[in-house]
Amino acid sequence: MSRTDADVAIQGAGMVGLLLAAALARHGLRVMLLDNAGLPQWQTQPYSQRVCAINLASERLLRVLGVWDALQRVSPFRAIRVWDALGGGQIVFDAADLGEPHLGHIIENDLIRSVLHQSVRAATGVQIRIPACVQRLEPDDEAVTLRLSDGTRLRVALVVGADGARSAIRELLGIPVRLGRYAQKAIVAPIRTEIAHGEIARQWFLPGGPLAFLPLADGRCSIVWSLSSAEAEARLAFDETAFCEALVHGSAGRLGNVLEVGERGAFPLYRLHAARYCTERAVLVGDAAHVIHPLAGQGVNQGFQDAAVLANAVIDAQRRGRDIGGRLALRRYERARRGDNLLMEWSMEGFHQLFTRRRLPLVRLRSLGLGMTHRSASAKRFFMRRAIGADASILP
Ligand SMILES: Cc1cc2nc3c(=O)[nH]c(=O)nc-3n(C[C@H](O)[C@H](O)[C@H](O)COP(=O)(O)OP(=O)(O)OC[C@H]3O[C@@H](n4cnc5c(N)ncnc54)[C@H](O)[C@@H]3O)c2cc1C
């Protein structure tokens, strides 16, 4: 192979791009990490609006990379309670039924990025260029030539698009996407409730969309409330008292009164799937490849799996003396991840469709289904194993 400036260029220092960089650097690969925005500085106060439910499979990956213990503020949840507000059904998923101490942790996105960034910065062989992005890419038999926004030209064996839902790498590669708009927004904010969360994640399927209370380490909860865009805008305009009352109503007062709401943010919701994950010497991971509804909190967990499987394929190719940007390695990654990501996308779509229906026979049927699943230990174990990523990949 001709001389290259790095083995792999990763565009996007989000959670997924950083995890991939850390995984590759651990095996001595030379990585160039690019991002067109600065990296956030995690701070203890205020508690960030953006948090993620990190499942056991993702926890394992972060442990293998040696960064788990550096996460200074994580909040375990040992059960998930779900209510169908209209139909009256409910279901409880308990970690004890799987013999696990917890089902996952709620962690601030910026904290995950911050610890991964520190790990990547300390690794030999990683160069970080911020702000920078790829403006042109030209693959050939031996490498891909990248022209960056600062005018630099780089040659690398493989370029990875980890640059999120609006991926510029995907655009440059001309990969089309299948896009579905929910016409919904998710409101996020930290809240303080009268009754302690008790390390339980709660979700109510309300007629307007799901409302989740995720337990935070300081005793508060982080809400994710998906609503039609118009309803979301209306609730964002509520004063604090009216917003707290709406939350008490939505949560049927299960945690008593809502005493305080932090800064509210809102994110438009859609699903997206790239028609292909790879082309010649280029590959997509994380939200650049697929975006799902956040109702089950699985987006970044899926992205971390992409990163783990791609790292395995690249490291394996390198060990065997094969081309790390070659078709074989990239197709192996795509084959392993596409089906799983599609299954997750359609499961989320199914839940979304099922729980936004208001026709009485369907409402009765779904509540019956929830009740039956609740009473069936094996059905519950099936869903829980999927949610925690029990069969997920690990890093070499
Ligand atoms: C309300 C909400 C709640 C969610 N809750 C959960 C949850 O509980 N659990 C879960 O697993 N997932 C959750 N998700 C999904 C999760 O947030 C995403 O899947 C995850 O952030 C995607 O990470 P990423 O690194 O792929 O992309 P991003 O986080 O989008 O990172 C992309 C990076 O690329 C950079 N970039 C973008 N364009 C360019 C460019 N042209 N050039 C250079 N750099 C560029 C950006 O600056 C950024 O650093 C939630 C999503 C939403 C909206």
Side-chain angles (χ1 to χ4, degrees):
M1 178 176 283
S2 63
R3 229 177 66 78
T4 50
D5 301 291
D7 296 314
V8 182
I10 302 172
Q11 172 152 300
M15 290 184 277
V16 175
L18 282 163
L19 185 122
L20 177 63
L24 294 175
R26 198 167 154 258
H27 284 268
L29 277 113
R30 295 171 304 145
V31 177
M32 177 83 70
L33 188 61
L34 313 165
D35 202 293
N36 63 0
L39 277 158
Q41 289 291 319
W42 178 75
Q43 48 198 26
T44 48
Q45 290 304 331
Y47 220 117
S48 170
Q49 267 179 0
R50 293 295 309 265
V51 298
C52 268
I54 292 298
N55 68 13
L56 296 190
S58 296
E59 176 184 337
R60 264 201 313 272
L61 296 178
L62 294 165
R63 282 191 189 281
V64 170
L65 294 173
V67 298
W68 181 261
D69 291 333
L71 291 164
Q72 299 152 51
R73 185 158 68 185
V74 301
S75 177
F77 55 95
R78 53 186 173 81
I80 304 173
R81 296 186 79 109
V82 180
W83 290 269
D84 175 5
L86 212 54
Q90 66 163 297
I91 189 163
V92 183
F93 298 104
D94 197 319
D97 294 340
L98 288 181
E100 297 283 353
H102 52 259
L103 292 172
H105 289 83
I106 307 299
I107 312 176
E108 289 149 281
N109 295 13
D110 285 355
L111 176 55
I112 296 174
R113 285 182 79 193
S114 164
V115 299
L116 283 169
H117 179 217
Q118 280 162 26
S119 152
V120 163
R121 262 184 38 190
T124 45
V126 181
Q127 297 176 57
I128 303 178
R129 287 197 184 200
I130 292 176
C133 64
V134 176
Q135 286 195 325
R136 244 178 102 167
L137 47 87
E138 286 161 13
D140 57 51
D141 285 349
E142 301 205 312
V144 49
T145 304
L146 308 176
R147 211 183 45 236
L148 305 189
S149 45
D150 60 9
T152 323
R153 280 162 68 94
L154 292 178
R155 267 177 81 70
V156 296
L158 173 66
V159 59
V160 181
D163 47 354
R166 295 183 177 177
S167 170
I169 293 287
R170 193 181 64 218
E171 193 88 355
L172 285 172
L173 297 171
I175 298 179
V177 295
R178 181 171 38 72
L179 181 68
R181 294 191 195 280
Y182 287 113
Q184 280 189 331
K185 281 186 180 171
I187 301 179
V188 296
I191 63 163
R192 189 173 298 287
T193 55
E194 197 179 8
I195 299 171
H197 55 58
E199 296 186 344
I200 297 172
R202 295 172 173 81
Q203 179 144 286
W204 295 267
F205 281 99
L206 305 174
L211 166 66
F213 281 16
L214 308 173
L216 296 181
D218 67 356
R220 291 189 292 169
C221 291
S222 180
I223 62 155
V224 183
W225 195 358
S226 307
L227 291 157
S228 75
S229 302
E231 280 179 276
E233 287 305 327
R235 278 175 179 66
L236 283 170
F238 279 7
D239 65 22
E240 189 172 348
T241 312
F243 192 75
C244 288
E245 279 168 10
L247 287 174
V248 175
H249 183 70
S251 60
R254 298 259 171 194
L255 292 188
N257 284 323
V258 175
L259 308 173
E260 185 191 305
V261 180
E263 199 189 332
R264 290 166 249 173
F267 299 86
L269 299 182
Y270 48 89
R271 65 190 156 83
L272 172 155
H273 220 113
R276 293 185 296 285
Y277 288 4
C278 58
T279 63
E280 226 180 320
R281 300 198 171 279
V283 65
L284 303 175
V285 291
D287 275 22
H290 46 79
V291 178
I292 54 174
H293 197 292
L295 67 87
Q298 287 295 338
V300 81
N301 293 304
Q302 294 291 109
F304 279 173
Q305 277 303 301
D306 293 352
V309 172
L310 180 61
N312 273 298
V314 166
I315 292 160
D316 187 55
Q318 193 202 34
R319 277 189 188 143
R320 292 167 190 262
R322 292 191 185 138
D323 183 356
I324 62 165
R327 198 172 284 262
L328 208 65
L330 304 188
R331 291 287 299 153
R332 179 178 152 194
Y333 156 71
E334 174 157 14
R335 267 199 314 276
R337 291 304 302 147
R338 195 173 175 76
D340 191 53
N341 287 329
L342 279 169
L343 184 64
M344 186 58 82
E345 180 192 350
W346 291 115
S347 309
M348 292 311 104
E349 184 55 16
F351 282 125
H352 171 74
Q353 291 294 339
L354 188 63
F355 283 99
T356 46
R357 297 285 181 253
R358 299 183 191 198
R359 285 183 50 220
L360 213 55
L362 198 68
V363 170
R364 286 208 183 105
L365 204 64
R366 78 179 181 221
S367 249
L368 196 71
L370 265 189
M372 280 167 65
T373 312
H374 181 59
R375 285 186 295 276
S376 160
S378 56
K380 279 209 292 193
R381 262 201 304 275
F382 170 80
F383 285 116
M384 278 195 285
R385 284 180 60 78
R386 179 106 190 102
I388 65 169
D391 305 316
S393 286
I394 51 163
L395 284 165

